[in-house]
């Protein structure tokens, strides 16, 4: 019987070396070409000190907060007072029941919950998707208001203000959507 002797394990001291650490990160797929880092257990073990942050455009968090607040307030008003809000906005019911206005308010409250969750997150993908969904909603709202006023052949001052507000809000949300998706500049 021959007994094989195994070599004792030799601990490499190259883990503290910055070059091997960067190579390990690259092999494990932790750093991408554009400098972003993705959250995982391995990156926590390797010591990512960036906390997965990205460069936020100026005014993004304020816009997210104001959008969530506006959607919440208008959704609650439309849900609780559908007739009085319709009369204030120069809407002629034309046979549309109150439940349609309440459903619209419920949809706005649902969107506001998504917007509120995006205010507190640092995930770039979640912020981009909420900005895109807000933009799509505002564009649809703009088109519905425009076609409704074209059907009545009347463009009142209130409808014009609504169209301008929907259009500017959609453009601003689209602007932030594009800005959050841009790759950071290399210095």
């Amino acid at each position: 019987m021959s007994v094989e002797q195994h070599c004792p394990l030799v601990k490499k001291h190259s883990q503290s070396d910055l070059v091997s650490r960067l190579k390990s990160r690259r092999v494990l797929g932790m750093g991408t070409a554009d400098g972003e880092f993705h959250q995982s257990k391995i990156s926590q073990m390797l010591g990512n000190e960036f906390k997965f942050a990205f460069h936020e455009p100026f005014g993004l968090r304020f816009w997210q907060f104001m959008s969530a607040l506006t959607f919440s307030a208008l959704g609650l008003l439309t849900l609780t007072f559908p007739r009085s809000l319709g009369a204030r906005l120069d809407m002629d019911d034309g046979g549309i029941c109150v439940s349609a206005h309440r459903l619209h308010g419920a949809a706005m409250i649902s969107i506001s919950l998504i917007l509120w969750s995006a205010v507190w997150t640092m995930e770039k993908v979640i912020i981009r998707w909420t900005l895109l969904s807000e933009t799509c909603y505002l564009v649809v709202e703009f088109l519905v208001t425009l076609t409704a006023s074209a059907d009545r052949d009347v463009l009142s001052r209130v409808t014009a203000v609504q169209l301008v507000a929907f259009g500017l809000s959609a453009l601003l949300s689209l602007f932030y959507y594009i800005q959050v998706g841009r790759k950071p500049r290399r210095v």
Side-chain angles (χ1 to χ4, degrees):
M1 285 208 302
S2 76
V3 177
E4 264 185 54
Q5 289 186 340
H6 294 287
C7 298
L9 294 176
V10 179
K11 185 177 179 183
K12 292 177 92 179
H13 295 287
S14 63
Q15 283 297 330
S16 62
D17 186 21
L18 180 62
V19 175
S20 67
R21 185 174 174 187
L22 291 175
K23 284 181 184 177
S24 300
R25 292 180 72 86
R26 187 166 290 135
V27 167
L28 294 171
M30 295 292 93
T32 59
D34 59 354
E36 294 183 12
F37 294 96
H38 303 287
Q39 184 175 10
S40 71
K41 198 67 171 171
I42 298 171
S43 66
Q44 290 173 0
M45 289 171 42
L46 289 176
N48 184 4
E49 294 297 323
F50 293 111
K51 303 294 184 201
F52 316 112
F54 68 96
H55 177 69
E56 294 179 0
F58 179 74
L60 172 68
R61 294 298 177 174
F62 179 73
W63 174 249
Q64 286 180 312
F65 178 77
M66 291 307 294
S67 295
L69 188 67
T70 304
F71 271 77
S72 298
L74 287 176
L76 284 172
L77 282 174
T78 307
L79 189 64
T80 53
F81 307 113
R83 288 183 195 261
S84 62
L85 188 65
R88 296 252 189 260
L89 295 178
D90 247 3
M91 293 181 183
D92 181 24
D93 275 352
I96 297 175
C97 61
V98 174
S99 63
H101 290 290
R102 288 204 170 140
L103 284 173
H104 183 254
M108 289 186 75
I109 289 175
S110 299
I111 293 173
S112 75
L113 291 175
I114 295 170
L115 294 176
W116 279 117
S117 68
V119 169
W120 310 113
T121 187
M122 289 298 294
E123 297 277 340
K124 182 177 173 179
V125 175
I126 294 173
I127 293 172
R128 287 195 79 211
W129 274 105
T130 55
L131 287 168
L132 183 63
S133 63
E134 180 183 3
T135 303
C136 291
Y137 174 82
L138 290 168
V139 166
V140 168
E141 192 77 34
F142 178 85
L143 292 174
V144 165
T145 306
L146 185 66
T147 54
S149 66
D151 286 344
R152 289 184 291 187
D153 290 331
V154 175
L155 183 65
S156 67
R157 184 179 306 150
V158 174
T159 306
V161 168
Q162 281 182 328
L163 288 173
V164 168
F166 291 143
L168 288 177
S169 299
L171 286 175
L172 197 56
S173 293
L174 183 65
F175 168 76
Y176 280 124
Y177 172 77
I178 292 169
Q179 289 298 315
V180 169
R182 291 180 67 186
K183 293 182 180 179
R185 287 190 215 153
R186 297 192 183 225
V187 179

